[in-house]
Amino acid sequence: MMFNLALFVILCPLAGLCLNLAGSRWLRAPMAGIIASIAAAASFFFAASQLIALQTQPQGTIVVLGDWLPLLGVQWALQVDALSVTMMLLVTGVGTLIHVYACGYMRGDAGYTRFFVYLNLFLVAMLLLVMADNYVLLFAGWEGVGLCSYLLIGFWFDKANGVGTRNSDAARKAFVVNRIGDVGLLLALLLLYVNLGSLNFDAVFAQAAATLSAGAPLAVVIALLLFVAVTGKSAQIPLFVWLPDAMAGPTPVSALIHAATMVTAGVYLMARSQVFFDLAPLAQNVAVLVGAGTAVLAATIAVGQYDIKRVLAYSTISQLGFMVAAAGLGAYAAALFHLITHAFFKALLFLAAGSVIHGVEHGQSATGLYSAQDMRALGGLRRRMPVTFATFLIGALALAGLPPLAGFFSKDEILAAALAENTLVCALLALTVLLTAFYVGRQTLAVFLGEARSEGAAHAHESPAVMTLPLVGLALLTAFGGFMGIAAWLGGVFGEHTPEANVWLMGGATLLALAGIGLAWRMPLVKGRMPCALQNGWWIDTLYGWLIVRPFQWLGGQLARFDRGGLGWLEQRLAAGVRGASWLMSKTQTGQLNWNGVGIVAALALVLAAAVLGGGA
Amino acid sequence: MNATWWLIAVPLAFSPLAYLAGHVQRCAAQIVTLAGLALVGLFLAAAAQEVAVLGSAEYAFGAIALRVDGVSLLLAGIIVALAALTTLFSGALVQNEAGEEKYYALTLALVGTILALVCARDLFNLWVWFEGMAIASCLLVVFARERDTALEAAVKYLLQSAVGSALALLGMALVLAQVGTLSLDMIRQNASSSPTLWAAGALFVVGFGVKAALVPLHTWLPDAYTQSPSPVAALLAGVVTEVGLIALLRALAALSGVSNIWGGLLLAFAALNMLSGTLLALRQRDVKRMLAYSSISHIGYMLLGLGIGLSSGALAGTQAGLFHLFNHALMKGLAFLALGALFYGLRAADGDALTLGDVKGAAQRYPLTTLTLLVALLGLGGIPPLAGFMSKWQIFAAGVATGDGLILALLVLALLNVMLSMLYYLRLATALYDAQPGERAAAGRAIPLALRVPLWILALAVLVIGVFPDMARGLTQAAALALW
């Protein structure tokens, strides 16, 4: 019976957003946030009820709500199983904390209500994505979160960020790049339907397992197309370029959408569609290489960033690379475990960074020279923002992968899986561990230690409790996430047993992380020059600009010219021709009766001739 | 004396009655006319019942046989309904005009002759009633007899009709000489292929074709449509022209066994009519004239469907052509009536050439009336979900189903015409919906309810038929079966 409550997981944020929409005229500033937060919390409560329901019925169930597209055999139906419940709890749990945080962070913003409407809408779409029992509904959620991401990146659409690009451009970039991935998903769906005759998870997976052999071309193509979607949504090579720019959105958005939940949808998709990846070794290898490559590449770029949020953005890409690589290795439990711990500590890091920005912006006079996000202008916040510092430190150490924090355990599982399968990948990931510890160490040092390097930093003050309490909550999850039995639970979900602890690997990874932190101590961010290549992200955006955007714009320009010139000329000639014919025709309407008589005589002659000549035909 | 007899006798009897009543009391003429039409409607319903049961309803009056079949029902339904609406509409329009009672009497006479025509079973009756229709309609065209332009238009109409009638009569003489009978059924059974009958068929096509406005026999049409009062123009465009076409088809159907050329001939005229009508309307700035020219191209669409039906033997083509005839009556009737209402509002006389500039921004002053005109225009242009789209669509579907290369080429031509026709329909529509009302629209007077109600009824019909095209299917299917 409890499974019937699954619908309420989605209905709560839906109700919240409807309430905020309806009352947007009357609700005063904190009310919208409170409504949205309560909606998120209620959703978490119902998600928890699903967890309890799973205790009695571990295989889960499908909650059918009604017919949707009978033509495709698709229903409004929610899948409640261990995987979806895990995601539900994560989305609503972390989501609730971030909602609460945003109540303080967004205070005084002109679009306060609009913000929370979007945030609730995002929850609805994300929950739809993870609770769908078929690919069509999943696709709807997939597009829905993309839309919310677009709306929230461009939330301050009338502003520009420090680099000079407009926020609306960043939003559009995210949307367009994601669209490339979406096409992959759509094509995969079409192939699925055409070849397997269904889009419902159960039917598709059973059919695939029954009819496709390992390495079957169809399975490989489907898995690769799905992986294209993964690279878009989860910001992998080559489609990761949108995520750093997405930092133009408010920081709670970066935490919720671009760190904890939406960007992990790709990993969820791989876990959900594991049948196809297991049948397609080629796609798995691609996933592993892309994931590991992304992890290293993004980590190197993170080293070269000065913007407090861009470091975290590249770090997110890098960590997503870990998850994708793990999923590619078939270690779905490890991937999901890291997805969860990463959601904890990366949301924590983003929110703490937001707290820093918030505090520094408030300490800054109106004529502040530096961006509040430029780490070169921060420093010494340890004493001014103690809670933020403490929580950020926990998040940073977890990201670096130091025991006993959550990140250590999940990263270790991935490294173990990689070591067992592919030494090269393991080496790449180990290098990433070193780099990760290095950049996050440098970031912590630059932001919180030393002396304040700007007026804003000197006068910064701690954020209000509504913001620090969620930080503390996430810090606790980060600190103890490794001991909450998540790994064992996930192992049960995927039928994988947790690999035995490899002391050498654990020790080695810890040493690497410590080495990274030591390096950070020796090479502080503010001293010395940053390599140009790292600052500019290996010029990948520039490269895309030259290879794709410019030629496309050129093509568009040429087509427009052709339209105006060639086609326009043709159009005008055509129009002139028609006008001429019309003019000629109008000359036949003289209004003279005798001329009209000619018409009759001519018609008679012609028809008679036709009848007599062709009559026998 | 059954329903068929009454069907024809009632309007013809009420015609002088309306005239006399109008002399006694001015407003009585309209009431008598409406009563007469209501009575005809009742008998039509009775005849329809009989047709539904027996397949046809016949009445023999000596040697003269009259028969109601599917075709008659379709046309009779159109004329009775449209005449009722135009009569209702005319109240405010011809009020206090000299000869008001004659107007109503002639309307009834027109209805009576048309009803008799579509029930005629022999060539002679076909011709007699055809002439009767010509006389009645000609007198209606020249209702504003003191206006030179109206007289000129009537003279052209009359003379060209007369020439056509003479040619048709000649054709009948040839048939009588060759086959020895004038009964359509007998001709159909006994006629064998011979050059005389081929010539007779050609004479029918040209003779009746004048009234049906086949290009190049159409030259009377723009003058007649524009010079007659709007309700008369609605009847001319909606019924009289189409009845000419039906007379042509009836005569030709009798000779269908004589030659295989008739279908091709219809298709050739379809092409001519579509193209000429469109091209003529394209540069026209006088809105009433523009609609008149658009009728020429719509005759082309009907001919296309009918020609497809005749040349390939596909019932669907004939049915689609007749469906378009039905829809065109609704849409063009609506268009001319709505234009008439605007004429009234803008204080324009029937012969006035109201240009696009004159009706500019009429929607600001007359939102609902202009909306009905827009419905008519979009329907004529073939925009879903309006009636005109459905029938054009069915014509296309029937044409594609034949798979004939020549027909496909004609369909492409038709498509181009539909496209080009949007150009002038939309030009009128955009003028009507100009945000800035023109001088005339700003100074317009209120349009009385009696002028507006018929518009709403027709606009609703155009929409309903477009959404539920099957409502007309029974009627058009029976007509298509009865035609060839």
Side-chain angles (χ1 to χ4, degrees):
Chain A
M1 283 310 98
M2 229 154 167
F3 282 124
N4 290 334
L5 296 177
L7 178 60
F8 289 92
V9 179
I10 292 183
L11 280 187
C12 286
L14 191 63
L17 94 91
C18 289
L19 210 59
N20 271 335
L21 264 186
S24 57
R25 228 168 247 230
W26 305 284
L27 294 177
R28 304 234 164 256
M31 232 11 238
I34 292 170
I35 291 173
S37 304
I38 289 174
S43 181
F44 175 73
F45 170 78
F46 285 111
S49 78
Q50 299 305 298
L51 183 64
I52 296 167
L54 275 185
Q55 306 301 322
T56 52
Q57 198 178 332
Q59 76 278 17
T61 188
I62 290 170
V63 182
V64 179
L65 305 172
D67 265 350
W68 183 21
L69 302 169
L71 203 65
L72 298 177
V74 166
Q75 295 178 308
W76 290 105
L78 305 176
Q79 174 129 27
V80 185
D81 60 4
L83 178 57
S84 71
V85 169
T86 309
M87 291 301 287
M88 272 188 249
L89 285 168
L90 177 72
V91 171
T92 56
V94 175
T96 304
L97 290 175
I98 294 173
H99 271 70
V100 174
Y101 174 93
C103 289
Y105 189 85
M106 295 304 289
R107 185 153 218 168
D109 194 280
Y112 191 83
T113 309
R114 179 166 60 98
F115 182 80
F116 282 100
V117 168
Y118 288 166
L119 222 51
N120 269 179
L121 181 63
F122 170 77
L123 281 189
V124 173
M126 188 71 205
L127 288 166
L128 207 59
L129 198 169
V130 299
M131 293 174 73
D133 105 305
N134 57 69
Y135 275 108
V136 182
L137 206 53
L138 178 140
F139 188 69
W142 187 274
E143 292 294 318
V145 292
L147 171 70
C148 293
S149 164
Y150 166 80
L151 290 172
L152 284 162
I153 294 170
F155 183 74
W156 290 314
F157 52 84
D158 48 353
K159 296 200 183 97
N161 66 17
V163 195
T165 48
R166 284 177 302 163
N167 289 352
S168 52
D169 284 341
R172 203 158 43 202
K173 182 177 178 182
F175 201 71
V176 171
V177 173
N178 262 296
R179 193 43 35 105
I180 299 170
D182 296 350
V183 170
L185 184 53
L186 197 58
L187 287 178
L189 261 56
L190 290 175
L191 272 184
L192 278 175
Y193 185 71
V194 169
N195 290 296
L196 301 178
S198 176
L199 285 167
N200 293 318
F201 287 150
D202 286 349
V204 168
F205 299 150
Q207 185 75 6
T211 57
L212 298 175
S213 55
L218 180 63
V220 174
V221 172
I222 288 174
L224 283 176
L225 285 172
L226 289 174
F227 189 67
V228 170
V230 173
T231 58
K233 200 61 94 192
S234 290
Q236 298 296 294
I237 294 172
L239 298 181
F240 66 88
V241 288
W242 65 271
L243 189 56
D245 286 8
M247 295 304 122
T251 304
V253 172
S254 310
L256 178 60
I257 301 185
H258 303 121
T261 54
M262 185 191 84
V263 288
T264 62
V267 181
Y268 167 78
L269 182 67
M270 287 181 81
R272 184 55 88 188
S273 313
Q274 54 176 293
V275 174
F276 295 105
F277 285 93
D278 291 347
L279 284 172
L282 176 67
Q284 281 188 314
N285 288 336
V286 170
V288 173
L289 289 178
V290 167
T294 308
V296 178
L297 183 78
T300 60
I301 300 174
V303 170
Q305 299 302 311
Y306 286 120
D307 185 302
I308 186 170
K309 280 177 75 181
R310 281 178 88 86
V311 174
L312 295 175
Y314 279 110
S315 162
T316 302
I317 298 173
S318 170
Q319 296 298 309
L320 287 166
F322 262 87
M323 299 172 213
V324 170
L329 289 166
Y332 297 105
L336 256 287
F337 186 25
H338 195 56
L339 188 160
I340 293 167
T341 60
H342 174 258
F344 294 159
F345 66 70
K346 191 50 74 58
L348 172 58
L349 285 171
F350 264 116
L351 293 187
S355 172
V356 166
I357 295 166
H358 193 256
V360 172
E361 268 178 351
H362 278 244
Q364 206 168 14
S365 66
T367 55
L369 291 174
Y370 294 100
S371 156
Q373 303 192 28
D374 192 329
M375 292 190 290
R376 285 169 295 190
L378 299 173
L381 292 176
R382 176 179 78 254
R383 263 181 248 102
R384 303 206 145 270
M385 308 181 79
V387 181
T388 305
F389 169 61
T391 50
F392 189 93
L393 187 64
I394 291 174
L397 293 177
L399 173 60
L402 285 185
L405 302 171
F408 165 75
F409 295 98
S410 54
K411 186 181 299 187
D412 189 66
E413 270 196 36
I414 294 178
L415 285 175
L419 187 64
E421 295 275 335
N422 192 327
T423 328
L424 169 70
V425 170
C426 187
L428 283 175
L429 294 181
L431 178 60
T432 310
V433 171
L434 179 69
L435 287 169
T436 306
F438 178 57
Y439 67 68
V440 77
R442 292 219 306 182
Q443 183 176 33
T444 316
L445 293 175
V447 173
F448 291 100
L449 298 180
E451 291 305 316
R453 289 182 293 276
S454 72
E455 191 197 343
H459 296 94
H461 58 78
E462 184 58 279
S463 298
V466 68
M467 288 167 68
T468 50
L469 281 180
L471 289 181
V472 172
L474 284 169
L476 288 175
L477 285 171
T478 304
F480 300 108
F483 304 107
M484 291 184 344
I486 300 175
W489 154 260
L490 288 170
V493 170
F494 289 99
E496 300 168 11
H497 65 96
T498 325
E500 305 213 352
N502 183 335
V503 183
W504 290 108
L505 190 66
M506 282 181 171
T510 310
L511 280 179
L512 272 176
L514 286 173
I517 295 172
L519 268 178
W521 200 275
R522 300 286 301 171
M523 301 168 61
L525 184 77
V526 286
K527 297 244 178 75
R529 287 190 43 226
M530 192 75 83
C532 212
L534 299 186
Q535 261 196 64
N536 291 304
W538 299 108
W539 294 290
I540 288 172
D541 265 325
T542 320
L543 184 74
Y544 283 1
W546 280 100
L547 280 184
I548 299 164
V549 180
R550 293 277 188 97
F552 200 76
Q553 281 173 341
W554 176 84
L555 184 68
Q558 292 304 308
L559 284 176
R561 271 186 48 188
F562 176 62
D563 190 31
R564 277 194 301 271
L567 283 184
W569 179 85
L570 198 66
E571 267 167 29
Q572 277 170 9
R573 293 282 76 74
L574 261 176
V578 171
R579 216 177 301 135
S582 175
W583 176 82
L584 222 68
M585 197 70 211
S586 71
K587 289 290 138 199
T588 66
Q589 190 73 33
T590 60
Q592 300 293 320
L593 196 50
N594 42 11
W595 168 253
N596 294 359
V598 171
I600 299 182
V601 173
L604 183 63
L606 283 175
V607 175
L608 265 179
V612 173
L613 293 179
Chain B
M1 287 205 272
N2 58 10
T4 311
W5 189 85
W6 287 110
L7 199 56
I8 294 150
V10 168
L12 292 179
F14 268 69
S15 174
L17 216 56
Y19 176 78
L20 291 175
H23 268 286
V24 178
Q25 175 71 40
R26 291 197 77 110
C27 66
Q30 191 191 15
I31 294 167
V32 171
T33 308
L34 282 174
L37 286 171
L39 206 55
V40 176
L42 284 179
F43 286 118
L44 185 61
Q49 283 290 324
E50 212 170 318
V51 173
V53 177
L54 302 172
S56 68
E58 282 195 58
Y59 181 73
F61 183 74
I64 301 170
L66 294 170
R67 188 164 76 193
V68 180
D69 61 6
V71 181
S72 335
L73 270 186
L74 179 69
L75 270 297
I78 294 173
I79 178 64
V80 171
L82 210 53
L85 289 173
T86 57
T87 305
L88 194 64
F89 184 90
S90 305
L93 223 54
V94 297
Q95 207 168 25
N96 305 325
E97 295 242 7
E100 184 186 348
E101 70 284 349
K102 291 173 199 149
Y103 173 87
Y104 292 114
L106 283 169
T107 302
L108 279 171
L110 182 67
V111 172
T113 52
I114 287 176
L115 286 173
L117 192 159
V118 295
C119 295
R121 294 312 302 161
D122 62 284
L123 281 174
F124 181 70
N125 266 290
L126 196 66
W127 186 82
V128 166
W129 295 115
F130 189 74
E131 283 301 277
M133 176 180 84
I135 293 162
S137 57
C138 183
L139 289 172
L140 280 169
V141 168
V142 73
F143 180 65
R145 64 182 190 280
E146 68 283 359
R147 209 172 53 227
D148 292 346
T149 46
L151 275 172
E152 183 195 339
V155 167
K156 285 182 197 165
Y157 177 47
L158 194 62
L159 271 176
Q160 294 192 40
S161 291
V163 173
S165 299
L167 294 176
L169 198 58
L170 200 58
M172 288 169 198
L174 291 182
V175 171
L176 184 61
Q178 186 76 21
V179 190
T181 174
L182 284 173
S183 155
L184 291 172
D185 295 331
M186 299 296 282
I187 297 169
R188 198 190 178 99
Q189 284 165 21
N190 298 334
S192 57
S193 186
S194 79
T196 316
L197 290 182
W198 302 342
L203 285 165
F204 288 155
V205 169
V206 178
F208 292 117
V210 172
K211 194 64 110 268
L214 304 186
V215 175
L217 312 163
H218 66 284
T219 40
W220 60 271
L221 182 142
D223 285 342
Y225 280 21
T226 40
Q227 291 303 323
S228 47
S230 291
V232 175
L235 285 179
L236 283 180
V239 191
V240 175
T241 314
E242 282 80 351
V243 169
L245 186 60
I246 291 295
L248 190 166
L249 296 172
R250 287 273 208 209
L252 217 49
L255 296 177
S256 59
V258 168
S259 170
N260 292 324
I261 196 179
W262 311 130
L265 220 48
L266 292 187
L267 288 175
F269 278 113
L272 270 175
N273 267 57
M274 289 190 295
L275 198 58
S276 315
T278 308
L279 287 177
L280 282 167
L282 213 51
R283 284 161 58 89
Q284 196 51 252
R285 301 195 68 81
D286 173 346
V287 288
K288 208 166 169 187
R289 226 175 155 79
M290 192 193 86
L291 285 179
Y293 284 130
S294 115
S295 276
I296 295 178
S297 63
H298 276 275
I299 295 280
Y301 298 130
M302 294 171 213
L303 283 170
L304 182 59
L306 294 163
I308 289 168
L310 185 54
S311 65
S312 71
L315 190 69
T318 310
Q319 186 188 337
L322 291 171
F323 187 29
H324 195 64
L325 185 151
F326 179 78
N327 288 340
H328 180 253
L330 293 179
M331 298 183 299
K332 210 34 101 38
L334 172 59
F336 275 116
L337 288 186
L339 212 52
L342 283 184
F343 267 56
Y344 179 90
L346 304 181
R347 298 191 171 89
D350 288 314
D352 282 5
L354 226 50
T355 63
L356 290 171
D358 292 327
V359 296
K360 203 176 93 160
Q364 310 291 332
R365 179 74 180 78
Y366 309 109
L368 268 179
T369 304
T370 315
L371 181 67
T372 57
L373 182 53
L374 183 70
V375 168
L377 292 176
L378 295 181
L380 288 166
I383 301 292
L386 300 172
F389 165 76
M390 272 339 271
S391 46
K392 278 182 188 167
W393 166 255
Q394 290 187 5
I395 291 171
F396 276 93
V400 170
T402 62
D404 186 298
L406 197 67
I407 287 177
L408 290 180
L410 274 175
L411 292 182
V412 172
L413 180 72
L415 210 56
L416 281 174
N417 273 294
V418 171
M419 220 158 67
L420 281 177
S421 70
M422 283 317 293
L423 214 64
Y424 55 83
Y425 291 131
L426 286 184
R427 195 156 53 192
L428 176 52
T430 44
L432 290 169
Y433 279 86
D434 200 299
Q436 213 60 46
E439 279 172 42
R440 291 190 83 141
R445 58 178 159 172
I447 298 173
L449 196 65
L451 290 189
R452 286 182 281 156
V453 171
L455 305 183
W456 300 340
I457 295 172
L458 281 169
L460 196 67
V462 170
L463 181 66
V464 170
I465 295 286
V467 177
F468 305 104
D470 277 354
M471 285 173 66
R473 179 170 288 272
L475 213 52
T476 54
Q477 197 147 31
L481 281 169
L483 190 57
W484 302 123

